[in-house]
Every structure is written in structure tokens, then in C-alpha cells.
Amino acid sequence: MRKQIARLVSNIINPFLMGVVLILSASFDGDLNTRASIKWALILIAFNVLPIFLFIVWLVRHNKLDGIFINIRKQRLKIYLLGIALVGVSCIILLCFEAPPMLLALFVAFFSVGVVFMCINNWWKVSVHTASTASVVAVLLITYGLRAMAFIMLVPLVAWARVELENHSLAQVVAGALLAPSMLVVEVHLFGLI
């Protein structure tokens, strides 16, 4: 029963969904009207989350990955490279088209986190599930303040699920839960948004 609950948690609170939530949260933070916020969110989701998801599905169907959430560390490199490339291009687009500062800060943080996680991946596997969940919580707290406090409970829930499924060690989920949101908060601070 514990494994089934852990699998359900991992499948629902996954990096793809968290990427969408991160982009939506940052798109609606600022002075943009609803239409402009939706435009930026759709562009960034279509250009970042969707291609990575489709590429992973294609690799899984051609037996080049062990599964959608890539539990084998060495299989993650090509996903990190694609993600970093897409996020890098997104940063340039966001800068050129004067996107909301929160979006630009978020994508600069994504780029930094991607590079750091890819380097760490050479010898160790940080939990992207907990990293993405903790990053969502950080953005929600920055954007909505204490009203978003309840979402903090998602981080230990996801961490427990990843450890319960034996996809990560406790150290790997803690590293993901601390490293990615810390880098995100630093970037947002450097942009003068907090």
C-alpha cells in the first residue's frame, strides 16, 4: 500500500507538472494583463516543458530510457543538455521581448540549476522531483507570501515518495529540495524582485 501511494504521489507531483506550475506562477506575477500572462505561459510551456516531455516519451518508446522519470543516472545527460539549450534560448527570447522580470529571473535560475544538476549528475543523482516541487513552493511563497505556506507540505511528501520507491536516497531528495529553490531565490534576489 505504501508503494502504491508513493507511486501515485510521484506520478501526480512530477517535474513536468511542476514546470507548468512554475511557469504559470511566474507568468501571472507582475503588471501584465491576463491575456499577456497567458501568452507568455503558453509560449514557455510549449517551448520548454512539452519538447522535453515528448523527447523523453520518444526515448522510452525506443528503449533508450528506463522510464519517463529516468531513474538511471547516466541516461539523464541528454535530457539535461536539451533542457539547458531550450532554457538558454528562452532566456534570450525573454530578454529580447521584455518579458516580466519574474519570468526572466526564473528562467535564468532554471538555466543555472540545469547546469549544476548536470555537473552533479556525473557522479550522483539529485532528485528532480523534489527540486521542482520545492522550487514551485519557493515561487509561490515569493509571489503570494504566507498564503502559500500550506504548499510546503508537498516537499516532504514528494521526498518520502521518491525514497519509498527507492529511486533516491534521503541525501538526494534533501539536495534537490534545498539546492534548486536556493538557487532560484538567489536569482530572484539578484533581479531585485525580493
Side-chain angles (χ1 to χ4, degrees):
M1 181 67 164
R2 288 171 56 104
K3 294 272 192 215
Q4 290 173 323
I5 293 170
R7 195 167 292 108
L8 183 64
V9 168
S10 272
N11 288 339
I12 292 172
I13 308 173
N14 66 69
F16 306 111
L17 177 62
M18 295 298 98
V20 169
V21 172
L22 274 166
I23 291 169
L24 286 170
S25 299
S27 295
F28 285 92
D29 178 50
D31 298 329
L32 288 182
N33 61 40
T34 302
R35 184 178 173 151
S37 295
I38 291 170
K39 176 192 77 170
W40 276 113
L42 291 176
I43 288 168
L44 293 169
I45 290 166
F47 192 72
N48 290 275
V49 180
L50 194 57
I52 292 171
F53 178 74
L54 293 174
F55 183 56
I56 289 172
V57 168
W58 184 85
L59 289 172
V60 169
R61 287 190 175 198
H62 289 85
N63 296 319
K64 297 186 186 292
L65 291 179
D66 69 321
I68 294 287
F69 300 128
I70 317 168
N71 293 315
I72 298 172
R73 180 181 51 83
K74 291 180 180 180
Q75 293 179 349
R76 292 177 164 206
L77 178 62
K78 56 188 109 186
I79 306 307
Y80 279 125
L81 289 171
L82 175 61
I84 291 166
L86 292 172
V87 169
V89 171
S90 293
C91 286
I92 294 167
I93 291 168
L94 290 165
L95 192 59
C96 290
F97 290 96
E98 299 178 6
M102 181 58 95
L103 275 176
L104 182 57
L106 181 67
F107 271 78
V108 169
F110 284 170
F111 186 84
S112 303
V113 168
V115 169
V116 168
F117 278 29
M118 183 179 70
C119 292
I120 292 171
N121 191 65
N122 286 317
W123 73 90
W124 203 52
K125 185 174 73 165
V126 177
S127 172
V128 177
H129 271 77
T130 55
S132 59
T133 305
S135 295
V136 165
V137 171
V139 168
L140 291 174
L141 287 170
I142 290 167
T143 306
Y144 301 106
L146 294 178
R147 293 176 288 175
M149 211 54 169
F151 290 101
I152 288 176
M153 297 309 299
L154 292 175
V155 179
L157 177 65
V158 170
W160 165 80
R162 301 308 288 162
V163 171
E164 179 68 27
L165 293 172
E166 299 174 8
N167 291 321
H168 291 284
S169 67
L170 180 60
Q172 291 168 337
V173 296
V174 169
L178 295 177
L179 190 55
S182 298
M183 293 175 72
L184 190 146
V185 168
V186 167
E187 289 296 342
V188 171
H189 179 72
L190 290 173
F191 274 76
L193 300 171
I194 54 172

